[in-house]
Amino acid sequence: MPQSDRDYMRMALDEARMAADRGEVPVGALLIDSKGKIVARDGNRTIELNDPTAHAEILVMRRAGELLENYRLLDTTLYVTIEPCVMCAGALVHARVSRLVFGADDAKAGGVISCYEVGLDGRLNHMVEVTRGVLGQECSLILKDFFRERRKK
């Protein structure tokens, strides 16, 4: 039986907490297939990997591509705790991810709704179905708490 969007977002929040424990910005993501099976899950690793592209979404799509042996991630849903940036939103389009579910809006860098509309723009060769605000307060709070603690140091 497939999980609910809230259940999957809780799993993404677990990945975000693990990222925070590693000293990374607490963003977590997971990709599921059309049957509800988790294909890949991870959190941000930009500092650990010294890689500015090592956002949770990118890492999850890379791993899923390897596991599925396909760069197209058709009939999948990506869950992420914050609205993807432009880079990640562009990767969603290129990978042909069917659906995106995110928690918190990102007013400063959101590439899907807040600042840009990558994935919703009919001029691109793929459009992504978007559901926003799933456990949005929890997803926002983990980021606020992380940055509040960082400012104290």
Side-chain angles (χ1 to χ4, degrees):
M1 171 181 281
Q3 302 284 321
S4 73
D5 285 348
R6 293 170 60 87
D7 292 335
Y8 287 122
M9 190 60 71
R10 284 186 191 93
M11 293 177 207
L13 277 163
D14 289 341
E15 294 296 330
R17 288 184 194 96
M18 287 187 275
D21 291 344
R22 294 190 300 271
E24 301 278 357
V25 174
V27 176
L30 61 113
L31 189 84
I32 63 159
D33 67 16
S34 60
K35 294 180 176 79
K37 178 184 175 218
I38 297 170
V39 180
R41 58 191 297 168
D42 210 339
N44 275 359
R45 293 181 184 274
T46 56
I47 297 166
E48 174 187 340
L49 298 175
N50 298 305
D51 180 353
T53 69
H55 291 192
E57 303 95 306
I58 299 293
L59 295 172
V60 164
M61 286 187 280
R62 283 181 186 155
R63 182 69 179 137
E66 292 169 3
L67 291 170
L68 299 173
E69 297 180 340
N70 195 338
Y71 70 105
R72 297 286 194 229
L73 303 174
L74 303 170
D75 301 318
T76 60
T77 299
L78 181 82
Y79 289 84
V80 62
T81 54
I82 192 167
E83 177 182 355
C85 69
V86 172
M87 173 186 69
C88 293
L92 287 166
V93 170
H94 286 291
R96 307 296 194 273
V97 170
S98 301
R99 183 171 178 241
L100 165 68
V101 179
F102 68 86
D105 288 3
D106 186 350
K108 293 180 182 177
V112 178
I113 303 251
S114 298
C115 298
Y116 302 94
E117 293 185 347
V118 178
L120 301 176
D121 187 334
R123 295 174 294 174
L124 300 174
N125 59 358
H126 176 70
M127 291 181 59
V128 179
E129 177 188 337
V130 176
T131 302
R132 72 195 271 201
V134 176
L135 300 181
Q137 288 183 327
E138 290 177 53
C139 293
S140 180
L141 187 60
I142 193 171
L143 287 159
K144 287 178 183 173
D145 289 347
F146 176 81
F147 286 113
R148 185 180 307 114
E149 286 300 313
R150 298 266 313 239
R151 283 191 296 273
K152 289 180 183 178
K153 295 179 181 181

